[in-house]
Structure formats: C-alpha cells, structure tokens
Amino acid sequence: QLLVQESGPGLVKPSETLSLTCTVSGGSIISSSYYWGWIRQPPGKGLEWIGSVYYSGSTSYYNPSLKSRVTISVDTSKNQFSLRLSSVTAADTAVYYCARPVGTSSFSFFDAWGQGTLVTVSS
Amino acid sequence: DIQMTQSPSTLSASVGDRVTITCRASQSLTGWLAWYQLKPGKAPKLLIYKASSLESGVPSRFSGSGSGTEFTLTISSLQPDDFATYYCQQYSGYPTFGGGTQVEIK
C-alpha cells in the first residue's frame, strides 16, 4: 500500500520560506504516479490546491494565486518531493497535505493523502 | 479558475438518514468531479471520482451523480463513522474545491 507522509518545521517566521518534504513509501516515486501534489487547508477554511510536479521534476503546475512564491521539486534518490513557499505571512498558516494525483493528466483527483502537518506562521 | 459552490455548509442528521450534498460549478466540468471525506488528524479519503465512480473499498452507501455544473453526493443510510466533513473537487481545470459540508449528529 502506497503511503505519503509530510515532514518539516511546524513554525515559520513571517517573510521567511516554508519548506516541507513528502516521503513516499510502499512504492517508487518514479513508477507509482506521473505527478505528485501539495494541498493546504487554513484553519476553519476549505482546501486549496498548491501545485503538482511531474515525477522526474521536469514540469510543475502551480495555483496561479501562489505561483510567484511556490516551488515543488522531486528527489528521486530519496523517494521524496518537496514544497517551498517563500515570503510567508499569517495567511499561509495551514495544514499542508501531500497527495498523489491519479492518472497521466496534469490536473486530477487525489487517491492517496498524508495525514497533514500544521504549519504556523508567527514571529 | 472554476468556482465550486457546495451546500449546505452544515447538515444535522441521525444514524440511518439519507443525506444529500450538492456541489455546483461555475462552468461545465464534463464529469471531472471527485468527493472526499475529511476527519481531524486523519488522511483525507477519496470517495467518488469522475462524478459517479466509487473508489475501491468505499462502502456502497456512498454514491455520486450529476453532470455539467451540478453534482450530488448521497449517503443512503448514514452510519456513525460517516460524521465528518465532505468536500467536492473539480479537475476540469487546475483543481479547486468546494467550501465543505460538515455532517454532524442531530
């Protein structure tokens, strides 16, 4: 059974860069999916897709509202993919999920999710 | 971007009730719609994809229907484990989610 798990700091200072890693287990990041993605949920609010990356790291798609601040990358040697969000503010406080999109399309639904990790932006 | 409007935002129901949640899109999705169940501290669970396809392992009391811009998730007989928050998601364009429906105990 394929599992994904988020890890990273739970507290980030305003204006700094948020960095999270998603570790894939139970399968290879190269062969288990064409894309890998990140989604977030601010406290008391709904879900927001952040972006998705091709398994090789060659192509990424980002939410237009976050595009200028987001980078998603892949480390196939570690079976991991990562999220970097720069210049964070309190509005970036959220539970961050990594997930596996289904199929070959750049935009899809997600069939495997991590449990999520809360990142708080505060000084 | 495609806006998703979900209703109701909160629903009070009893075990055994039939529950229906609606999701409306700002433009036609051609069926590219999924439903998820979220519980605090747990990984979100995919229930339905392509509007009406049941994900493997999901109980048959869950069903999805609709096309174009209007979609529904139905739970035919609500069980104790079903009290949770439900979200729709479109993937016709870059993914966007509905605002969520919290199903609570009446």
Side-chain angles (χ1 to χ4, degrees):
Chain A
Q1 180 189 0
L2 185 123
L3 296 175
V4 292
Q5 182 64 57
E6 309 86 356
S7 60
L11 181 64
V12 181
K13 290 182 168 56
S15 79
E16 295 189 345
T17 297
L18 178 159
S19 296
L20 295 174
T21 296
C22 183
T23 300
V24 178
S25 59
S28 166
I29 197 169
I30 294 173
S31 58
S32 298
S33 184
Y34 282 90
Y35 288 90
W36 300 93
W38 289 94
I39 297 121
R40 70 179 183 178
Q41 183 175 28
K45 296 186 178 181
L47 296 163
E48 179 181 39
W49 174 75
I50 298 171
S52 297
V53 63
Y54 195 61
Y55 70 88
S56 68
S58 60
T59 304
S60 301
Y61 297 91
Y62 301 128
N63 189 316
S65 69
L66 298 169
K67 188 175 183 177
S68 63
R69 300 193 291 130
V70 174
T71 303
I72 300 177
S73 57
V74 177
D75 187 337
T76 56
S77 68
K78 295 182 178 179
N79 231 36
Q80 295 175 334
F81 62 102
S82 298
L83 168 71
R84 288 174 58 86
L85 180 66
S86 64
S87 304
V88 298
T89 69
D92 295 309
T93 294
V95 174
Y96 286 76
Y97 297 98
C98 60
R100 179 179 71 172
V102 173
T104 60
S105 173
S106 51
F107 300 143
S108 187
F109 59 95
F110 304 88
D111 72 338
W113 295 64
Q115 290 189 315
T117 187
L118 174 62
V119 179
T120 301
V121 179
S122 175
S123 56
Chain B
D1 55 344
I2 300 174
Q3 308 293 329
M4 304 300 295
T5 303
Q6 197 173 327
S7 62
S9 57
T10 306
L11 188 161
S12 297
S14 303
V15 172
D17 284 353
R18 181 181 181 88
V19 167
T20 299
I21 299 168
T22 298
C23 197
R24 290 184 174 88
S26 60
Q27 63 189 70
S28 178
L29 303 182
T30 325
W32 303 125
L33 184 106
W35 291 96
Y36 302 91
Q37 179 191 69
L38 270 72
K39 294 182 177 180
K42 298 186 71 175
K45 181 180 181 181
L46 172 67
L47 302 173
I48 302 285
Y49 61 94
K50 206 174 179 184
S52 60
S53 296
L54 190 68
E55 170 70 349
S56 176
V58 174
S60 59
R61 63 180 180 273
F62 291 92
S63 64
S65 64
S67 63
T69 62
E70 186 155 336
F71 301 85
T72 60
L73 172 71
T74 300
I75 309 173
S76 60
S77 178
L78 198 66
Q79 298 302 302
D81 190 49
D82 301 338
F83 291 98
T85 303
Y86 295 84
Y87 288 88
C88 61
Q89 178 229 324
Q90 66 78 22
Y91 48 103
S92 178
Y94 77 81
T96 54
F97 294 84
T101 296
Q102 183 176 3
V103 177
E104 59 182 29
I105 300 172
K106 190 172 183 179

